[in-house]
Amino acid sequence: SQQQQQQQRQQQQQQTSLPSSSSRHREEFDRTKHQRKPENTYARGYIATPPSEYSVSKADADKVAKRLNKEETQAKEEYREANSAALIALEKRVDEMQRKVERSLASFQFNVHRDVHNIHVELLRQFEKQKRDMEQIVRGNSVSDDVMKEMERLQQENKQLKLRLKQQQQQ
């Protein structure tokens, strides 16, 4: 039972993010804690051997604690640096992706603009063609000057004939 508990503690310590040298110092520091409170830790079953077998002085325990704190601080700084480097790399990737999207959108915008321009040009061509066709139709259906002169002459002749007819009827 105590061996299983000790193995579980060791597995938990291995799962932490501390470097291996820090875990070794942690064990030494834990031993000094056990020396200070042997009855509690031994009674709880945290250690397999009685605390009387540990012989670490308070000065040694303090040295180990300082060394451990220093290594923990260093590990935290390395972790922060790694995170900031990862963040910078992520920002670079985001910027790169944003530039790619902007380039593809610019290309798409240019293509759409060109297509709309071509549609406008085609509409103008169609309107010009329609205008020419309508002019031809109007010219084909319109009365020419010769025909107009002939119509006027015939109208005059009709008037004269009507007048003659009236005069003949009155006589």
Side-chain angles (χ1 to χ4, degrees), residues 46-61:
Y46 289 138
I47 55 174
T49 57
S52 60
E53 294 182 14
Y54 299 127
S55 59
V56 178
S57 68
K58 183 168 172 59
D60 289 340

Side-chain angles (χ1 to χ4, degrees), residues 16-29:
T16 61
S17 64
L18 295 174
S20 60
S21 62
S22 294
S23 60
R24 182 171 40 88
H25 295 301
R26 169 77 68 186
E27 290 172 11
E28 291 176 19
F29 185 69

